[in-house]
Amino acid sequence: MEASGRSFLFCLVLVTILSSSRCVRSSSYLIGMGSHDITGPAADVNMMGYANAEQTAAGIHFRLKARSFIVAEPDGGNRVAFVNLDACMASQIVTIKVLERLKSRYGNLYTENNVAISGIHTHAGPGGYLQYVVYIVTSLGFVRQSFDVIVDGIEKAIVQAHENLRSGKIYVNNGDLVNAGVNRSPSAYLNNPASERSQYKYNVDKTMTLLKFMDDEWGPIGSFNWFATHGTSMSRTNSLISGDNKGAAARFMEDWAEQNGYPKEDAGLRADLYGSIIKRYPRRVSNIVPHPNKNFDELIQLASSIEATGGRRLSSTSQRIRSNDMPKFVSAFCQSNCGDVSPNVLGTFCIDTGLPCDFNHSTCNGKNELCYGRGPGYPDEFESTRIIADRQFEKAVELFNSASEEIQGKIGSRHIYMDFSKLEVAITTSNGKQEVVKTCPAAMGFAFAAGTTDGPGAFDFTQGDDTGNPFWRMVRNVLKKPGKEQVSCQSPKPILLDTGEMDTPYAWAPAVLPLQILRIGQLVILSVPGEFTTMAGRRLRDAVKAVLIKEGNGEFNNNIHVVIAGLTNTYSQYVTTFEEYAIQRYEGASTLYGPHTLSAYIQEFRKLASAIAQGQAVSSFVSPPDLLDKQISLLTPVLVDMTPLGVHFGDVSTDVPENSTFKKGQIVNATFWSACPRNDLLTNGTFALVEMLDSSRNEWVPLYDDDDWSLRFKWFRPSKLSPRSYATLEWQIPENTPTGVYRLRHFGASKRLFGGVSHFTGTSRAFAVL
């Protein structure tokens, strides 16, 4: 009996040791996820993307986030960090300052070599955070508040991911999503060689590539995917801060994960089946939802007895609604080679006649400003945004659930700065001869001012203009007349703005660009500082893949996954193929460094790919400028906020009607006396809140805030320079909202005449949801 007991104990110990050993071996990497609010000023600041001076922020559709992942080798070896921003694009000065902060915290652990910062390309975020003049003209120069909140948010997202590093696995999957993007410049695409076009089924990339992050104990903790479609579902007239279709898709998936209980805190709770897809998820601030009262008469009577509270001051300056203490599932929908890809999938039509626009020039009777693309929810841009977000979300969940290919192999990264204003490029001519050409100082063509079918320009500019006109040449010459060498270099682009040779009051456009490759096993991320068109992206991916397979000593094969992370680390507008450049639609006119820009990228990325395949180092001989001290801001500061005599900040101006009852799907709103949202961004907080009454405890439970799809915060002044302002809270009641008594609450901060900010709140009259 004793011998049997000893044998059993020995076997038990042996099994435990072997199990532990298997557990250690099963962990391929250390993985960590992070997320932080980067919502900028929701008032007065021009939005980045459409370059429409009249499009200024005036409220919040939903909040913007920085989402990050870190993957590290478990033995303390190499690591990479990738950050996805709900912002129009990355910014060189933002990247510089984030890296300075990371160096201060971690030394050389996170550097320009292994940190990538990528934008989703929403056109509904505050601008003014880039350092070059041409990108901040419409925002009246640099906006320090926009810049600071993004830098802070990126840093905190990376810190959070770093502190959450735990052993885990990564899986990769990809599949086609066919109904979330169309080519908005098909005439330019058709100028690519027919033999090349015949290799592809579509004139845009339809493939979504997804990473699934699995913690060894908690199970699913996040997913990042790359898919090409523009962040232009929200139009150039929208004034609410929004992450557009990709930001919305990220929220839908994070809510889906929360509903399924991810991440699991109990190691034994790991599900292989994740349930069915529900299209619209409320973002619950509180997981404690009071038991609904089914006595409708009682609910109506209770709601009618609760009046608006009136505005009151808050003693705390930190009204934070969400808790970041617990680990959260992080989902990011990253941008890829979206240069010529529009989410307005119904096509382009003339707003005056309803007929399709001209195919070659996207005009209506010769006018570009009448030609617009239509989203699937036309004419409702919010519905178009939701539909395109839904389609990406559903595909991501499908790929997430079926992901089975494990990422395995080394972690690596290479980064280099190159001066694209004068880069020598070796090309093969049409007759097979080798020739050395050069890129050019940055310049934008006449068709740039025509805009796109997602956001047309003005005046008499048209896409496809390869000649220009005398009047606008004369206007251009007042700023800077390009020399003969520049004109020849940029040909056939007619130069409208010679931005690369303009330096008053400081540089108008970048010259030095960062190129970067991140490797995570068989996944390779190409960090590009611009918007590659569909075919340009295909050529770059194929070139890098060929080098890795050829020179990788067997580490890479045809199973390698190469993705393009667009708008990363800095921004330098578009990159087309040589053939598309010749057509001079918007994308070609916005390809800054001349017709050989793509060839330059391919040449230099091949070198980086060779270095990472052979384990060789690379060095930069130039670096981008830090222009932070040179920035100029002409944005008028907030001087003072005021209300009429006898009215307090937070008082209701227009209340919910008395004795109101609402059904699911209906809209309820209330308007409050408010103050400028620039006084306090309420980062990780909210300007708007829907509260539900828990009558059993006589407490109001926060249920939805201004990061929810269903709740919109709208801010406005009665006149442009008025010190008075209002906030309207508009809630479209979700179909799965519990029956009960609700009210709307507004938070804000007002500025006194001689400085100082005071926080306030106010609530609406209660109402019943049946």
Side-chain angles (χ1 to χ4, degrees):
M1 191 75 177
E2 278 183 38
S4 299
R6 285 195 298 272
S7 298
F8 174 80
L9 182 61
F10 174 79
C11 290
L12 180 62
V13 171
L14 181 61
V15 168
T16 302
I17 292 172
L18 290 175
S19 297
S20 300
S21 175
R22 283 196 298 272
C23 183
V24 170
R25 285 199 302 269
S26 71
S27 301
S28 300
Y29 305 108
L30 298 177
I31 56 177
M33 317 294 291
S35 177
H36 202 272
D37 188 1
I38 59 167
T39 308
D44 304 327
V45 176
N46 184 247
M47 288 184 168
M48 184 65 202
Y50 288 116
N52 177 14
E54 297 179 357
Q55 186 193 17
T56 56
I60 297 174
H61 180 205
F62 57 85
R63 285 187 170 259
L64 309 180
K65 295 290 182 68
R67 296 175 170 90
S68 66
F69 73 74
I70 296 175
V71 181
E73 293 172 343
D75 58 358
N78 295 328
R79 64 182 59 206
V80 295
F82 188 93
V83 184
N84 188 63
L85 299 179
D86 286 347
C88 193
M89 66 279 290
S91 157
Q92 186 66 73
I93 191 62
V94 167
T95 301
I96 288 171
K97 296 308 174 184
V98 167
L99 292 173
E100 287 179 0
R101 292 191 182 191
L102 293 176
K103 183 174 181 62
S104 177
R105 279 182 180 270
Y106 302 114
N108 291 323
L109 198 59
Y110 300 105
T111 68
E112 61 194 16
N113 189 56
N114 64 354
V115 175
I117 302 171
S118 180
I120 62 170
H121 211 37
T122 175
H123 285 41
Y129 62 93
L130 289 89
Q131 72 170 353
Y132 296 104
V133 173
V134 75
Y135 305 130
I136 56 177
V137 168
T138 56
S139 61
L140 300 178
F142 190 71
V143 180
R144 186 76 196 210
Q145 219 173 13
S146 293
F147 171 79
D148 284 343
V149 73
I150 291 176
V151 172
D152 290 345
I154 295 171
E155 179 192 18
K156 289 172 182 174
I158 292 175
V159 169
Q160 187 181 119
H162 176 84
E163 293 178 348
N164 287 338
L165 280 171
R166 294 163 53 89
S167 60
K169 296 181 180 179
I170 309 170
Y171 296 86
V172 63
N173 200 2
N174 55 57
D176 284 351
L177 173 58
V178 299
N179 57 356
V182 295
N183 197 306
R184 70 185 186 188
S185 291
S187 60
Y189 180 88
L190 286 173
N191 205 44
N192 291 307
S195 58
E196 183 180 33
R197 288 185 281 110
S198 68
Q199 300 173 37
Y200 303 97
K201 185 176 180 180
Y202 304 106
N203 64 357
V204 296
D205 281 342
K206 302 288 188 178
T207 301
M208 175 183 286
T209 300
L210 177 138
L211 292 183
K212 174 180 179 178
F213 295 90
M214 295 283 290
D215 184 281
D216 282 348
E217 291 186 37
W218 291 337
I221 58 170
S223 70
F224 276 58
N225 71 72
W226 289 264
F227 176 77
T229 194
H230 249 77
T232 49
S233 293
M234 302 296 289
S235 75
R236 67 199 297 270
T237 61
N238 165 63
S239 61
L240 300 184
I241 289 175
S242 173
D244 209 278
N245 57 69
K246 286 190 175 291
R251 272 150 182 75
F252 294 166
M253 192 156 185
E254 288 173 346
D255 295 337
W256 167 83
E258 183 176 347
Q259 190 172 72
N260 282 276
Y262 306 138
K264 303 287 188 184
E265 292 183 61
D266 185 340
L269 298 177
R270 295 184 192 169
D272 293 321
L273 299 176
Y274 299 101
S276 60
I277 299 171
I278 302 174
K279 288 190 175 182
R280 299 175 78 171
Y281 297 90
R283 291 187 60 81
R284 291 275 171 87
V285 175
S286 171
N287 291 322
I288 305 171
V289 180
H291 186 72
N293 187 334
K294 296 297 184 181
N295 188 328
F296 292 165
D297 291 336
E298 184 178 312
L299 281 177
I300 295 170
Q301 184 177 3
L302 178 60
S304 64
S305 67
I306 304 173
E307 295 294 325
T309 61
R312 62 184 178 85
R313 295 290 183 185
L314 295 173
S315 58
S316 170
T317 59
S318 180
Q319 286 295 316
R320 302 300 177 242
I321 305 302
R322 298 188 184 279
S323 169
N324 292 324
D325 295 337
M326 298 298 295
K328 297 289 186 181
F329 187 96
V330 177
S331 178
F333 285 67
C334 310
Q335 195 54 270
S336 190
N337 54 320
C338 68
D340 52 0
V341 189
S342 170
N344 295 313
V345 295
L346 297 187
T348 59
F349 298 88
C350 299
I351 60 175
D352 56 344
T353 65
L355 297 174
C357 305
D358 172 78
F359 180 77
N360 289 313
H361 301 288
S362 296
T363 56
C364 301
N365 295 319
K367 296 184 177 181
N368 71 81
E369 58 263 42
L370 298 178
C371 177
Y372 279 87
R374 292 181 181 177
Y378 175 83
D380 185 342
E381 64 188 297
F382 292 95
E383 183 63 6
S384 291
T385 302
R386 186 195 65 80
I387 292 171
I388 296 298
D390 243 6
R391 291 173 180 175
Q392 292 178 78
F393 156 63
E394 290 185 6
K395 174 56 67 172
V397 171
E398 175 191 321
L399 295 176
F400 186 89
N401 287 344
S402 60
S404 59
E405 180 186 343
E406 186 176 353
I407 293 286
Q408 294 178 320
K410 296 177 182 177
I411 303 293
S413 58
R414 294 294 186 276
H415 175 283
I416 194 168
Y417 289 115
M418 299 299 300
D419 187 343
F420 266 66
S421 70
K422 53 183 178 181
L423 191 59
E424 291 189 347
V425 185
I427 64 169
T428 302
T429 63
S430 57
N431 59 12
K433 293 184 178 180
Q434 293 293 310
E435 181 181 350
V436 176
V437 295
K438 282 188 176 184
T439 55
C440 326
M444 298 190 292
F446 276 68
F448 159 78
T452 70
T453 54
D454 293 335
F459 305 111
D460 54 349
F461 296 102
T462 59
Q463 294 196 67
D465 183 356
D466 59 2
T467 58
N469 69 62
F471 173 76
W472 289 111
R473 289 181 190 275
M474 181 176 65
V475 174
R476 170 203 68 188
N477 291 346
V478 173
L479 292 173
K480 172 69 173 66
K481 181 179 180 180
K484 290 183 179 180
E485 184 178 350
Q486 174 74 324
V487 170
S488 175
C489 186
Q490 291 280 351
S491 177
K493 177 199 293 178
I495 297 172
L496 176 64
L497 291 173
D498 190 15
T499 53
E501 298 183 318
M502 298 165 69
D503 56 8
T504 302
Y506 46 89
W508 278 56
V512 177
L513 302 182
L515 308 183
Q516 182 186 52
I517 293 182
L518 303 181
R519 177 197 176 182
I520 309 170
Q522 68 267 36
L523 176 80
V524 175
I525 301 171
L526 309 182
S527 300
V528 298
E531 303 174 58
F532 277 57
T533 61
T534 299
M535 195 64 84
R538 288 168 175 169
R539 291 183 188 178
L540 178 62
R541 287 198 307 260
D542 289 347
V544 168
K545 184 175 182 179
V547 170
L548 292 174
I549 292 173
K550 180 180 179 181
E551 301 183 21
N553 298 317
E555 286 189 42
F556 301 97
N557 54 42
N558 285 323
N559 198 37
I560 186 175
H561 301 269
V562 181
V563 297
I564 288 177
L567 306 113
T568 300
N569 294 329
T570 192
Y571 183 62
S572 59
Q573 293 175 251
Y574 284 75
V575 180
T576 64
T577 67
F578 181 85
E579 296 81 1
E580 291 165 350
Y581 186 91
I583 300 301
Q584 279 298 294
R585 282 183 63 94
Y586 175 83
E587 294 82 12
S590 303
T591 297
L592 295 184
Y593 308 103
H596 303 294
T597 300
L598 175 60
S599 296
Y601 272 101
I602 291 174
Q603 172 181 283
E604 298 308 316
F605 264 103
R606 278 177 171 157
K607 295 176 183 177
L608 287 181
S610 179
I612 206 167
Q614 299 184 26
Q616 298 174 343
V618 295
S619 299
S620 298
F621 299 99
V622 292
S623 59
D626 180 342
L627 302 176
L628 186 59
D629 292 340
K630 296 181 180 293
Q631 297 302 311
I632 297 171
S633 177
L634 301 177
L635 180 67
T636 304
V638 181
L639 299 177
V640 65
D641 294 290
M642 299 177 67
T643 59
L645 190 64
V647 174
H648 300 96
F649 291 105
D651 280 355
V652 177
S653 171
T654 304
D655 208 347
V656 178
E658 292 186 66
N659 304 318
S660 293
T661 61
F662 295 89
K663 296 179 181 179
K664 281 74 179 284
Q666 290 186 313
I667 294 175
V668 56
N669 55 62
T671 300
F672 298 82
W673 286 96
S674 190
C676 186
R678 290 161 59 194
N679 294 326
D680 188 338
L681 303 184
L682 297 184
T683 303
N684 277 344
T686 186
F687 290 100
L689 196 63
V690 176
E691 296 179 317
M692 181 182 184
L693 180 64
D694 182 353
S695 55
S696 64
R697 295 185 297 173
N698 196 30
E699 291 181 357
W700 289 96
V701 179
L703 228 59
Y704 305 93
D705 67 7
D706 67 12
D707 197 26
D708 281 279
W709 179 269
S710 64
L711 181 61
R712 298 175 191 172
F713 163 62
K714 299 179 177 181
W715 180 86
F716 59 98
R717 290 188 180 99
S719 61
K720 188 172 183 179
L721 299 178
S722 175
R724 297 179 181 178
S725 64
Y726 302 89
T728 295
L729 277 53
E730 183 179 283
W731 182 41
Q732 183 170 17
I733 305 170
E735 294 296 333
N736 53 358
T737 300
T739 299
V741 175
Y742 292 82
R743 69 181 183 183
L744 305 179
R745 178 186 287 273
H746 171 46
F747 294 94
S750 62
K751 187 171 184 180
R752 296 185 291 274
L753 181 59
F754 298 105
V757 168
S758 299
H759 291 74
F760 62 86
T761 188
T763 67
S764 73
R765 178 184 289 120
F767 55 92
V769 173
L770 304 182

